[in-house]
Amino acid sequence: MAQYPMRLFIASPVLIYNYTQLRQDFSAVLKGRWVEENALHLTWIFLGDQPAAEPWRKKLRHLTALEAPIPLQGLGSFGRPPRVFHLKAHDPLLYKKAREMKNNGLEPYRFTPHVTLCRIEKIVNWREYKKLLEKYREEILGEILPEIALYESTLCKGGSIYRKIESIV
């Protein structure tokens, strides 16, 4: 079996306007592992284990960055029961960029634009959880930055460590 030295993904960094407050509000109603603020991102494509970064670097160079920051509005979760707590991104420009990636040999598999905030272990108060989702429903909570980058992910006991390999801005 081949040994692959690099776990890669393509993503855009994000800016959350008040991540500390979001964590405080939702930590009272759900338990889980929160993503560190400096590691928050929108994943375009998870490439998984790869023997080298260079082929992906070349493909990335054929893309253009996002034209402007894209707002993140609303919160939600994936799974039944919910396992991923996330910020939503609705802008059609994200799907346009995903098509550009596909046309350049990068295949966004089941692309659902979102920013993972927490891996949920358990929602301890469903009523309050739903109230908080409603409270933040219309609020712009942050933005996806225009940069698109190739990252290496190293799995560690306390969570993943990300290293930017190449980016377009």
Side-chain angles (χ1 to χ4, degrees):
M1 189 162 98
Q3 185 80 354
Y4 294 115
M6 306 184 92
R7 188 171 187 255
L8 302 175
F9 66 98
I10 296 172
S12 288
V14 299
L15 172 65
I16 308 302
Y17 300 144
N18 198 344
Y19 190 52
T20 302
Q21 186 64 53
L22 274 176
R23 279 183 71 158
Q24 284 177 352
D25 286 353
F26 281 90
S27 288
V29 299
L30 65 82
K31 299 297 175 214
R33 190 177 75 232
W34 288 87
V35 177
E36 292 300 320
E37 189 166 10
N38 64 350
L40 293 168
H41 62 274
L42 172 122
T43 300
W44 293 97
I45 305 167
F46 179 72
L47 300 165
D49 291 331
Q50 299 291 320
E54 194 54 35
W56 305 107
R57 291 172 82 153
K58 287 179 182 176
K59 288 180 181 189
L60 187 71
R61 291 176 192 142
H62 292 285
L63 301 177
T64 58
L66 293 168
E67 295 170 19
I70 293 178
L72 292 161
Q73 180 178 6
L75 297 157
S77 56
F78 295 130
R80 290 188 189 266
R83 291 290 168 227
V84 174
F85 179 59
H86 62 87
L87 278 167
K88 297 178 180 181
H90 305 286
D91 198 303
L93 291 174
L94 295 169
Y95 295 98
K96 182 180 176 188
K97 184 57 64 180
R99 278 191 304 281
E100 179 188 332
M101 289 180 181
K102 184 177 181 176
N103 293 338
N104 284 287
L106 297 164
E107 186 70 41
Y109 177 72
R110 292 185 179 177
F111 180 62
T112 304
H114 70 282
V115 175
T116 298
L117 300 176
C118 181
R119 300 284 178 186
I120 300 171
E121 294 169 15
K122 181 181 180 181
I123 295 178
V124 294
N125 187 331
W126 275 96
R127 191 165 173 252
E128 289 302 313
Y129 173 73
K130 297 275 187 195
K131 275 175 136 175
L132 283 170
L133 288 178
E134 186 59 31
K135 171 186 169 184
Y136 284 108
R137 190 169 65 89
E138 298 295 324
E139 192 172 335
I140 303 293
L141 299 167
E143 58 193 47
I144 301 163
L145 301 176
E147 176 183 11
I148 298 174
L150 176 65
Y151 289 88
E152 179 179 13
S153 172
T154 304
L155 300 175
C156 299
K157 195 174 186 176
S160 296
I161 297 173
Y162 305 133
R163 180 179 68 89
K164 193 181 301 180
I165 296 173
E166 176 121 357
S167 68
I168 53 172
V169 287

